[in-house]
Amino acid sequence: MLFSDHYISYFVRMKGWLILLSICISVSASAQSLVTFQGKAQGTYYIVKYLSNDTTSLQPEVERLFREIDRSMSLYLPGSLINRFNKGDKIVMDPYMYTVVKKSLEVSRITNGLFDITVKPLVDLWGFGVVRHNRRPSVEEIRRILPLVDYRLLTVRVKYLLKKKDGVEIDCNGIAQGFTSDVVGNFLHRKGIHNFLVDVGGELVSSGVNTQGMPWSIGIERPPADSSSDGRPELATIRLKNRAVATSGNYQRFFDEGGIRFAHTIDPRTGEALHNNIISVTVCAPDGITADAFDNALIILGVDAGLQFIREHPKLQLEAFYVYKDTDGKIREKYSPGFFHQD
């Protein structure tokens, strides 16, 4: 199913434009100074904003954290822990990998495998991995790979991660950026900084308040309310305080074949790349790692089943905002009751 270039051109920015609207707020509104720095990491951008009496930049220390996480879980670094595990049968995990793997297995159990880091062989098969290509695999190719995709083929034993079958490989990209935002946020807390917004590739973690003493304002795009408008998405805001946001969508990485758009999200149960009517889902959760993990599962579930899942799991404290295409080809939205009331 193809979406119009007009809408894709706007919603492609949703991931990157989950930014604080408070960027234009006067710093004089707070007794503390607003410190901001940004750069590139993990194949994307990052922005860190915080209030502090000390305006010395913490950017060098934050970028050191990015490098440490890359050495743990980057598929692009040949000597990383994750690549060593994928080539072998076990690995001694560092604290970063341990946290991500344990959380991943927890989310896999809750979602009955909708989120599964052993999906890597399928990601590679579809051309969304380190080596890219735009070709739909055959049914037989998918069938041969599926026996290697099952989170229950992983075992955590103290600090060891073991695989129960040769050929099992893991890919933590579906959760790593949200986790990284948490790591940076925890670093700021240790520095005595408790009012901040961390954004790693559109996965945001907030704490405290902005310069006006209000929860951080985050902008998201939503379909136009007036069908007679020019079709441009409208800007909506949510206020975050001690919450996190992550977005998954079919506009990020995809290819078109036979009139169907295949997105980079893979259903671990069927081996199929996402090609439903969902344009994006934005998920709010208590922390970045949770929001990032569940946005994958919720986009596979779809609008109604995803919102039902949220209702059935109140302890997870999830909220979600879906943008999708209805049967008439119109762009619609649907969201959980608390999505616009995060504070």
Side-chain angles (χ1 to χ4, degrees), residues 27 143 163 181 200 287 340:
V27 176
R143 187 189 66 80
K163 61 181 72 171
S181 293
V200 180
D287 51 43
F340 288 103

Coordinates of all heavy atoms in Angstrom, one line a residue, residues 27 143 163 181 200 287 340:
V27 N 15.2 32.5 28.2 CA 15.9 31.9 29.3 C 15.7 32.6 30.6 O 15.9 32.1 31.7 CB 17.4 31.8 28.9 CG1 18.3 31.2 30.1 CG2 17.6 30.9 27.7
R143 N 10.7 -18.7 5.1 CA 10.5 -20.0 5.8 C 11.7 -20.6 6.4 O 11.7 -21.1 7.5 CB 9.8 -21.0 4.9 CG 9.3 -22.3 5.5 CD 8.9 -23.3 4.6 NE 10.0 -23.8 3.8 CZ 10.9 -24.7 4.2 NH1 10.7 -25.2 5.4 NH2 11.9 -25.1 3.4
K163 N 23.1 -18.5 23.3 CA 22.1 -18.9 22.3 C 21.9 -20.4 22.3 O 22.8 -21.2 22.5 CB 22.5 -18.4 20.9 CG 23.8 -18.9 20.3 CD 24.1 -18.3 19.0 CE 24.5 -16.9 19.0 NZ 25.0 -16.4 17.7
S181 N 18.9 7.5 25.2 CA 18.3 8.7 25.8 C 18.2 8.5 27.4 O 18.5 9.5 28.1 CB 16.9 9.0 25.2 OG 17.0 9.3 23.9
V200 N 17.4 11.6 21.2 CA 18.3 10.9 20.4 C 17.5 10.3 19.2 O 16.8 9.3 19.4 CB 19.0 9.7 21.1 CG1 20.0 8.9 20.2 CG2 19.8 10.3 22.3
D287 N 9.9 5.6 30.6 CA 11.3 5.8 30.2 C 11.4 5.5 28.7 O 10.6 5.0 28.0 CB 12.2 4.9 31.1 CG 11.7 3.5 31.1 OD1 11.4 2.9 30.0 OD2 11.8 2.9 32.2
F340 N -2.6 13.2 25.3 CA -2.4 14.6 25.4 C -2.5 15.2 26.8 O -2.6 16.4 26.9 CB -3.4 15.3 24.5 CG -3.2 15.1 23.0 CD1 -3.9 14.3 22.2 CD2 -2.1 15.8 22.4 CE1 -3.6 14.1 20.9 CE2 -1.8 15.6 21.0 CZ -2.6 14.8 20.3

